Amino acid sequence: GGSAMAAVRDVEIDPEGTFKYILVRLQRPGGAEQRHIVRGTKAAEFHNHIFEKLNPEMEELGYECKCLGGGKIDHNSKDKKIRVFGLSTGYGKADHSVTVELLKKVYTDYEITWSDDKK
């Protein structure tokens, strides 16, 4: 059912700072149901560190994960601003516009922008 998928949060990012993020597609094996999630943390030195932690967790819930790319997130909680930019060397650039739509669902009162800038 949809309950397990609903239990997976759309967005899990650090509350403050600039850090790497990835955009991931979750899918039931052989199923049509799919969704996108955003994960980002300062704890990850490389984008694949985020994916390598996420993937087994999602497999346990019965999902296949595909990383659709990455970038960076600059999260300024004081000014309620999030900036999405950059890319992942390994995974390529995520579609930041998709990431922004997901962020807007969670950070409803934030100003959220994206660009293809590297910094």
Side-chain angles (χ1 to χ4, degrees):
S3 56
M5 197 172 251
V8 179
R9 294 212 297 264
D10 286 332
V11 174
E12 284 183 21
I13 60 169
D14 285 2
E16 185 66 45
T18 303
F19 44 84
K20 292 182 166 66
Y21 94 89
I22 56 172
L23 180 65
V24 176
R25 187 180 70 212
L26 298 185
Q27 198 165 8
R28 287 267 180 237
E33 187 194 12
Q34 60 175 49
R35 58 178 282 208
H36 296 85
I37 61 171
V38 172
R39 294 292 182 269
T41 176
K42 272 185 275 202
E45 191 184 346
F46 299 105
H47 287 90
N48 62 307
H49 292 172
I50 308 172
F51 188 74
E52 282 161 13
K53 184 180 177 296
L54 176 73
N55 199 29
E57 292 171 8
M58 293 302 117
E59 280 181 346
E60 215 162 278
L61 295 172
Y63 295 112
E64 290 173 344
C65 286
K66 181 171 170 51
C67 184
L68 303 176
K72 284 187 173 173
I73 287 176
D74 181 24
H75 188 170
N76 182 336
S77 54
K78 187 168 65 70
D79 295 341
K80 296 200 167 179
K81 286 184 179 178
I82 294 177
R83 190 168 68 95
V84 184
F85 64 101
L87 53 84
S88 159
T89 314
Y91 295 123
K93 185 175 81 72
D95 184 341
H96 296 327
S97 63
V98 173
T99 302
V100 166
E101 288 312 306
L102 287 166
L103 289 167
K104 280 178 177 171
K105 279 201 225 172
V106 180
Y107 297 94
T108 49
D109 56 346
Y110 269 62
E111 181 191 320
I112 304 174
T113 57
W114 69 271
S115 76
D116 289 329
D117 297 346
K118 299 284 192 290
K119 290 185 159 64

